[in-house]
Amino acid sequence: MVRLFGIAIGAVFCVVLLFAALSPREATEVDPTLAFHEHPKKVHWSWDGPIGLGVFGGYDRVQLQRGFQVYKEVCSACHSLNRIAFRNLGEIGFSEAEVKAIAKNWTHEVPTINPDTGEAATRTAIPSDKIPLVYANEIAARAANNNALPPDLSLITKARPDGSNYVYSLLSGFADVPANFPADRRPEAPLHYNPYFHSLAIAMAPPLSAGQVTYAEGQPEATVDQMSQDVAAFLTWAAEPKLEARKRAGVGVIAFLLILTTLAYLSYRRVWAGIKH
Amino acid sequence: MSFPWANHYQPKHPFMQWLDSRLPLPRLVYNSVGAGYPVPRNINYWWNFGVLSGLALLIQIVTGIVLAMHFGANTLVAFDSVEHIMRDVNYGWLLRYAHANGASFFFIVVYIHIFRGLYYGSYKAPRELVWMLGVVILLLMMATGFMGYVLPWGQMSFWGATVITNLFSAIPVVGDSIVTLLLGGFAVDNATLNRFFSLHYLLPFVIAGVVILKIWSLHIPGSNNPAGIDVKGPADTLPFHPYFTAKDLFGAGVYLIVFSVFVFFLPNYLGHPDNYIPANPISTPAHIVPEWYFWPFYAILRAFTVDFILPAKLWGVLAMFAAILLLFFLPWLDGSNVKSNRFKPVSKQLFWVLMFDLLILGICGGKPAEEPWVRISQIASMYYFAHFLIILPIVSRIERPLPLPNSIAEAVLGKSEPAPANAAQPAE
Amino acid sequence: MTTVEDTTGHPITDEGVRRRDFIHVATGAFVGVGAAAAAWPLVDQMNPSADVLALASIEVDLAPVAVGQAIKLNWRGKPVFVRNLTPTEIAEANKVPVSDLRDPQTLAERTKEGKANWLITLGVCTHLGCVPLGAAEGENRGDYGGYFCPCHGSHYDTAARIRKGPAPKNLEVPEYAFTSDTRVQIG
């Protein structure tokens, strides 16, 4: 009985599916701009480790500090980094006094309430504060940026596929519109052509130019490529600050488990010695 | 239990005797997972996945309980509280990555456990209820996994919840009212998040309860085995402890190593980048996909593209639920009186065709709804239903199985034939 | 049959010898260590998180607190009383023989040198944790003119020392330091 019902129901599903599979498809137009998309350029990051597998290798503190400098002097004009507190900057090598100074001198202040009048007010930031928002809300952000929204960058490298390479490629990948690009799809002002951006037309103007940031003595030259890599590394840290602790723990845990599993295997073989199965 | 030759619990220590005569908990443990449970001696590494499923459930419950101490089930703070766990809570990153990847690994071991049951006929009499309780667990796991994925309140959380709850709108007449009831509003919002959190916390304990029922019902006939023949005497079995506790410990070690590789080195590999973008009710991501473990069923859902008497949407929903619910009837759809595919050459081939079919469905489910994936998923869905509902009932009746060994002991100790080649495949 | 077995399927080996087998002991030890190590993150996650620890100190401007007045602050989730003592209150506190006190402490020990008028204490009764009255204008300040806990009737004097009632200790003085003449950092 169950089998007969089963065959009947199965036949119904199969007929409907067959009907669907055989029904003609509407010709879908292939987006002519698809061919202009490029995958992010691969960078060998410090956290990829010596053999590139990502097992070992942490952050390069000096690079992160350069990246922070780029963020602070360039990106932070429009992009917030609101999940990072100033105190976190201690983790990339700034001293307590430096962190205090960075917080105190930050362009934007922390919103608060005037204790006497109860009205909205601002105060200077302290290390325990999150890096303040650039715009009070999305409407303000869009109003100031031709209706485009500069995303918060705290998680940007985890929120995009191949994020670190993507951020680097996007920043260093602005280009002129190729000559053979479909004329009706050419990005027009205020949009800019960027083959790494999902729509190829990004509202952000090329933010970096050579020498825009003055790196400290003894640091690499501030080329667009170098600054893009540095800020991408900094944002990778901002998105995944526990990467080093995670990998260290992972190496220890897996080494321990390998020994445990070997012992368990020997123990298992000992228990089963002479037993056929 | 039901084996006359099973070891009997005889507490040696006076305290254990005292306890056993008042609360026979040690006896229960001894008889369920101790030396008092005789297990077919020929079971292979694929039988490790039952215990591994239990381990995976335990990891989820433990990490979940501590994550709930820091999570805020409110749309205003849910995303932030997850980031707070990742950045500020001591070992929060470990707990959250273990929980997120633990869900995927739970499904991996359960799927392998199910495939083992399919291959060796573990669902057949007298273990129908063991199998059906397993399907109940699978359904509960899917509900739990789905609701858990909503909690971080990222873009995929929000839009996954929107799409899946909208499935119910396919139900004629009352569909829209049901969706409103499920959501507690007209769209996925705070009420939805809050009830999903409540249920996501509850269901794992329901799963644990069903697991106990399942083990209980398993212990009546005892475990199936690769030969699929019944245990006949003491020579066919070994006590669970120490033989299979030792084997399961080794299996657990291997499992934890693979799990750790993901938790510590590829923590976001099985996740989706869009879920690191806070939920935005007015902007849908370009390409919505559920978690990988739903992909085969998602492919079946989307395979129905054409209205055929009923609307395509309703067909898709019916088919997706039917694809899982048909497993309840499997013990009766399969009419063969031989369990193990080892002795059924045609069924064995069909099993591997089904595995390939599920792989194809899984790939299609993860792709955008475009050609050629839609047509491939239509053909693959067709095979899925045909396999369980048409081919299996017919083939199981007409296939002539190979001769079965007289007993497990005979098969293992090789009186008449060499031990089967795949008796002890190493775990992956 | 290549193995000698008894009827239960147990190979006939001495259970005791097998249990003492080094490899089993080593495996068991590793499982134990592993379980203990895995339990640590589950326990440690209950300790204060990094953001909570970062808020462990606050800075207060004392300038607006007039003589005879007190303010109530929130520090680490608990109330802190900052009182600007009047000369009379200081004199009263110093008059009490220390040996008469349940928790013997002089006012000088409870304030900073040269700042005897600034009495900074936690506003948490040492009995069972209620917030005593007396910091705000017009509240009952108890029999000794300091603070009064309404939960179980503990009376504190002008140096916030316990004088009467069930509380065992004086109101706790938190760790603090003057960063300037009128600014103080608590914690």
Side-chain angles (χ1 to χ4, degrees):
Chain A
M1 211 41 199
V2 173
R3 275 190 291 278
L4 288 180
F5 264 114
I7 291 170
I9 293 170
V12 170
F13 278 129
C14 285
V15 166
V16 178
L17 280 164
L18 190 66
F19 184 69
L22 294 178
S23 64
R25 310 288 134 137
E26 281 169 32
T28 43
E29 228 174 283
V30 177
D31 185 343
T33 66
L34 223 51
F36 293 88
H37 275 279
E38 283 182 48
H39 287 290
K41 295 177 271 185
K42 300 285 174 205
V43 179
H44 186 94
W45 302 100
S46 60
W47 56 88
D48 289 336
I51 42 173
L53 283 178
V55 178
F56 303 101
Y59 293 118
D60 172 355
R61 294 282 180 288
V62 180
Q63 183 184 33
L64 297 189
Q65 293 188 22
R66 287 198 305 267
F68 171 68
Q69 191 186 349
V70 175
Y71 167 73
K72 186 176 129 194
E73 294 178 17
V74 184
C75 319
S76 74
C78 305
H79 291 276
S80 57
L81 193 67
N82 193 235
R83 294 179 195 283
I84 296 293
F86 289 106
R87 66 184 159 85
N88 295 131
L89 295 172
E91 296 159 29
I92 63 170
F94 288 106
S95 70
E96 211 172 308
E98 285 171 322
V99 170
K100 253 191 175 157
I102 291 169
K104 198 175 158 200
N105 300 326
W106 199 255
T107 342
H108 294 90
E109 294 203 314
V110 180
T112 184
I113 288 167
N114 184 320
D116 301 322
T117 63
E119 283 167 1
T122 59
R123 60 168 172 80
T124 50
I126 55 170
S128 62
D129 286 319
K130 298 274 174 71
I131 296 181
L133 292 172
V134 180
Y135 303 103
N137 50 52
E138 188 181 326
I139 298 169
R142 287 190 186 276
N145 289 284
N146 287 319
N147 203 30
L149 176 70
D152 185 273
L153 297 180
S154 313
L155 280 167
I156 201 77
T157 62
K158 275 157 84 177
R160 300 287 181 276
D162 197 8
S164 308
N165 289 325
Y166 169 79
V167 170
Y168 158 71
S169 303
L170 187 82
L171 290 177
S172 59
F174 285 88
D176 292 331
V177 185
N180 55 346
F181 198 79
D184 56 331
R185 300 285 295 274
R186 295 175 86 83
E188 287 185 30
L191 299 180
H192 307 267
Y193 181 76
N194 191 315
Y196 300 98
F197 193 64
H198 66 89
S199 67
L200 298 170
I202 185 168
M204 175 170 72
L208 298 171
S209 55
Q212 183 169 6
V213 167
T214 312
Y215 282 156
E217 206 63 34
Q219 296 296 326
E221 200 190 330
T223 59
V224 169
D225 193 81
Q226 184 66 43
M227 289 186 288
S228 304
Q229 277 197 37
D230 292 347
V231 78
F234 169 71
L235 292 174
T236 304
W237 166 80
E240 186 75 357
K242 304 292 184 193
L243 175 136
E244 290 171 337
R246 167 160 65 75
K247 288 188 180 185
R248 263 199 311 275
V251 170
V253 166
I254 290 175
F256 177 87
L257 285 172
L258 282 172
I259 300 172
L260 169 62
T261 307
T262 309
L263 284 172
Y265 181 71
L266 295 174
S267 189
Y268 157 58
R269 293 304 299 257
R270 181 70 57 91
V271 170
W272 282 73
I275 305 273
K276 272 205 162 190
H277 58 282
Chain B
M1 286 202 166
S2 42
F3 300 95
W5 62 89
N7 292 327
H8 285 281
Y9 183 61
Q10 283 155 336
K12 291 196 189 80
H13 195 277
F15 172 74
M16 295 308 266
Q17 289 171 354
W18 180 88
L19 180 64
D20 188 57
S21 58
R22 286 157 179 80
L23 177 71
L25 192 63
R27 179 177 297 267
L28 182 71
V29 172
Y30 183 90
N31 288 335
S32 333
V33 290
Y37 178 45
V39 179
R41 62 192 300 156
N42 60 335
I43 62 172
N44 56 34
Y45 277 113
W46 298 114
W47 263 261
N48 278 48
F49 287 88
V51 165
L52 291 182
S53 309
L55 175 64
L57 174 62
L58 181 74
I59 291 174
Q60 289 310 91
I61 289 182
V62 169
T63 53
I65 287 173
V66 293
L67 285 170
M69 296 181 191
H70 304 279
F71 174 71
N74 184 297
T75 52
L76 296 176
V77 298
F79 192 94
D80 292 344
S81 71
V82 172
E83 277 306 309
H84 165 70
I85 289 169
M86 292 296 290
R87 292 164 189 272
D88 288 332
V89 172
N90 302 317
Y91 293 104
W93 57 270
L94 172 60
L95 298 166
R96 190 210 159 210
Y97 278 152
H99 196 71
N101 285 287
S104 282
F105 272 73
F106 194 5
F107 274 96
I108 290 172
V109 293
V110 163
Y111 280 150
I112 294 176
H113 186 65
I114 293 171
F115 298 153
R116 189 269 288 160
L118 285 176
Y119 186 87
Y120 294 111
S122 301
Y123 51 85
K124 291 176 69 64
R127 297 184 186 81
E128 303 96 322
L129 268 182
V130 183
W131 171 262
M132 290 166 81
L133 288 167
V135 179
V136 171
I137 292 175
L138 177 64
L139 287 170
L140 288 168
M141 278 175 66
M142 288 178 153
T144 311
F146 160 66
M147 289 191 279
Y149 195 56
V150 176
L151 302 184
W153 209 243
Q155 274 288 67
M156 275 299 163
S157 300
F158 183 89
W159 292 101
T162 302
V163 168
I164 299 300
T165 50
N166 266 311
L167 292 181
F168 294 92
S169 68
I171 301 168
V173 188
V174 291
D176 287 330
S177 312
I178 289 178
V179 174
T180 311
L181 176 79
L182 289 175
L183 297 180
F186 305 105
V188 176
D189 207 338
N190 198 46
T192 322
L193 174 63
N194 234 310
R195 65 190 57 185
F196 278 17
F197 178 58
S198 169
L199 294 173
H200 180 74
Y201 204 119
L202 168 72
L203 289 187
F205 297 96
V206 178
I207 292 176
V210 181
V211 166
I212 289 171
L213 294 182
K214 188 171 190 272
I215 294 174
W216 189 6
S217 112
L218 170 70
H219 278 60
I220 305 303
S223 302
N224 185 30
N225 64 84
I229 53 177
D230 292 342
V231 165
K232 295 200 175 69
D236 289 344
T237 65
L238 292 169
F240 191 84
H241 180 76
Y243 294 97
F244 295 97
T245 43
K247 193 178 182 182
D248 281 328
L249 181 65
F250 168 57
V254 174
Y255 169 74
L256 288 175
I257 290 171
V258 181
F259 181 46
S260 299
V261 167
F262 276 82
V263 170
F264 292 104
F265 296 103
L266 301 163
N268 293 307
Y269 183 77
L270 297 168
H272 197 291
D274 276 345
N275 229 24
Y276 281 109
I277 303 171
N280 181 354
I282 53 167
S283 158
T284 311
H287 172 204
I288 299 185
V289 282
E291 290 274 79
W292 69 267
Y293 39 81
F294 292 127
W295 286 357
F297 304 102
Y298 195 55
I300 291 174
L301 172 76
R302 295 191 305 186
F304 291 81
T305 49
V306 181
D307 292 353
F308 187 87
I309 306 171
L310 301 173
K313 181 174 166 184
L314 181 57
W315 275 117
V317 174
L318 286 175
M320 188 184 71
F321 283 107
I324 304 166
L325 296 179
L326 63 82
L327 294 174
F328 277 115
F329 301 94
L330 190 58
W332 297 278
L333 288 169
D334 179 350
S336 173
N337 42 25
V338 170
K339 293 193 189 79
S340 174
N341 272 346
R342 188 179 282 176
F343 305 106
K344 297 190 281 187
V346 179
S347 301
K348 187 197 278 183
Q349 303 299 324
L350 289 172
F351 171 84
W352 290 111
V353 175
L354 178 69
M355 290 299 105
F356 179 72
D357 187 57
L358 282 171
L359 180 72
I360 299 292
L361 279 174
I363 294 170
C364 291
K367 297 282 181 192
E370 293 166 2
E371 293 303 339
W373 303 112
V374 176
R375 188 165 270 144
I376 293 174
S377 65
Q378 285 165 339
I379 296 164
S381 303
M382 219 183 318
Y383 180 77
Y384 182 89
F385 287 109
H387 177 94
F388 283 109
L389 296 174
I390 301 174
I391 300 172
L392 190 76
I394 295 172
V395 168
S396 65
R397 295 298 275 195
I398 58 177
E399 183 176 16
R400 288 191 56 194
L402 303 177
L404 298 177
N406 288 323
S407 72
I408 293 172
E410 185 194 290
V412 170
L413 304 172
K415 274 205 184 122
S416 53
E417 56 170 12
N422 54 347
Q425 289 150 339
E428 24 215 285
Chain C
M1 291 270 248
T2 50
T3 326
V4 185
E5 293 178 351
D6 65 12
T7 52
T8 63
H10 262 307
I12 300 171
T13 51
D14 183 355
E15 187 84 14
V17 171
R18 202 141 47 85
R19 206 165 281 159
R20 278 194 297 278
D21 201 325
F22 167 75
I23 200 75
H24 301 323
V25 174
T27 309
F30 261 75
V31 171
V33 169
W40 173 241
L42 304 175
V43 175
D44 192 36
Q45 55 87 19
M46 291 206 246
N47 276 318
S49 55
D51 56 328
V52 172
L53 294 175
L55 290 173
S57 64
I58 53 168
E59 257 196 25
V60 196
D61 184 12
L62 300 179
V65 187
V67 175
Q69 273 191 338
I71 54 168
K72 228 193 247 193
L73 305 164
N74 185 334
W75 173 67
R76 292 184 181 173
K78 291 188 281 198
V80 170
F81 294 158
V82 179
R83 179 174 287 284
N84 193 347
L85 296 171
T86 62
T88 338
E89 286 170 336
I90 296 173
E92 218 169 284
N94 288 333
K95 210 166 60 189
V96 185
V98 174
S99 53
D100 284 4
L101 296 169
R102 186 177 300 169
D103 181 11
Q105 264 187 326
T106 62
L107 179 63
E109 284 168 350
R110 294 171 59 73
T111 51
K112 299 283 170 194
E113 212 181 319
K115 302 275 185 192
N117 60 320
W118 290 109
L119 178 66
I120 300 179
T121 61
L122 289 191
V124 178
C125 181
T126 56
H127 181 221
L128 290 172
C130 296
V131 179
L133 300 174
E137 209 83 26
E139 281 181 357
N140 182 355
R141 295 179 62 174
D143 295 356
Y144 297 87
Y147 301 106
F148 168 68
C149 181
C151 289
H152 306 95
S154 292
H155 297 256
Y156 296 89
D157 68 9
T158 52
R161 296 175 296 199
I162 182 66
R163 299 296 289 275
K164 195 170 120 186
K169 295 266 184 198
N170 302 333
L171 288 187
E172 189 188 333
V173 177
E175 207 176 290
Y176 69 90
F178 281 88
T179 53
S180 79
D181 227 27
T182 58
R183 290 188 76 82
V184 70
Q185 181 180 330
I186 302 177

